[in-house]
C-alpha cells in the first residue's frame, strides 16, 4: 500500500459511511414527504394494508421518515436516524412487501447504527462493567 492510499477502514470512514448516510437519507425523504403530499392516497394505502389508525399512522410514519432522513443527511445524531429507520422499514417489508428501497434502507440503517463509534463505545462499556 502506498503512503498516500487509504486503508480500507479509513476509506470506509471517509467515503463509504457518508455516501451510505446520504443515500439512505434520500431513500427515506422521498416517501416521507410523499405521505404528506398525497395524504388521502397514503391513508387509503395504509387502510388496504390493515394498519391500525391509518390517518395517524401516515402522519407518524411520514414524520419518522422525514426526521430520520434529516438526521442522516445533516449528520446530526445519525445513529438515531438510522435506528428510527430500521423498524419503519421492517414493518414496511412485512406489510407492503419487500422492495429494493425498503430492504436497502433496512440494511443501511442497521449498518450505520451498528457501526457508529458512539454506539460501539456504549456497547463496549456495557460489557466491561
Amino acid at each position: 500500500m502506498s503512503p498516500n492510499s487509504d486503508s480500507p477502514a479509513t476509506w470506509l470512514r471517509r467515503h463509504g459511511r457518508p455516501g451510505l448516510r446520504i443515500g439512505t437519507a434520500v431513500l427515506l425523504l422521498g416517501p416521507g414527504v410523499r405521505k404528506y403530499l398525497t395524504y388521502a392516497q397514503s391513508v387509503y394505502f395504509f387502510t388496504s394494508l390493515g394498519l391500525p389508525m391509518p390517518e395517524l399512522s401516515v402522519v407518524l410514519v411520514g414524520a419518522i421518515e422525514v426526521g430520520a432522513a434529516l438526521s442522516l443527511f445533516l449528520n446530526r445524531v445519525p445513529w438515531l436516524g438510522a435506528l428510527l429507520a430500521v423498524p419503519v422499514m421492517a414493518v414496511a417489508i412485512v406489510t407492503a412487501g419487500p422492495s429494493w428501497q425498503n430492504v436497502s434502507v433496512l440494511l443501511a440503517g442497521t449498518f450505520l447504527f451498528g457501526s457508529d463509534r458512539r454506539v460501539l463505545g456504549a456497547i463496549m462499556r456495557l460489557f466491561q462493567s
Side-chain angles (χ1 to χ4, degrees):
M1 207 176 257
S2 71
N4 292 333
S5 69
D6 291 338
S7 71
T10 302
W11 185 92
L12 184 62
R13 192 170 42 256
R14 280 195 189 145
H15 307 290
R17 281 185 58 86
L20 191 59
R21 218 177 15 80
I22 291 168
T24 303
V26 169
L27 288 175
L28 280 167
L29 191 60
V33 169
R34 201 171 311 116
K35 283 178 180 59
Y36 296 109
L37 296 177
T38 61
Y39 178 75
Q41 291 171 332
S42 296
V43 169
Y44 178 78
F45 180 66
F46 276 42
T47 302
S48 73
L49 295 175
L51 295 174
M53 299 181 293
E55 297 86 359
L56 180 60
S57 294
V58 167
V59 173
L60 289 176
V61 171
I64 291 169
E65 288 175 341
V66 170
L70 291 175
S71 169
L72 289 166
F73 187 75
L74 299 173
N75 204 20
R76 301 288 184 217
V77 286
W79 64 267
L80 181 58
L83 180 63
L84 290 172
V86 168
V88 170
M89 291 303 112
V91 170
I93 290 168
V94 169
T95 58
S99 70
W100 72 268
Q101 293 100 332
N102 55 27
V103 171
S104 297
V105 171
L106 175 72
L107 294 174
T110 302
F111 175 79
L112 288 168
F113 177 75
S115 64
D116 187 275
R117 283 185 292 171
R118 289 162 289 218
V119 172
L120 291 171
I123 292 169
M124 292 304 292
R125 284 191 296 278
L126 283 174
F127 286 105
Q128 289 175 352
S129 309

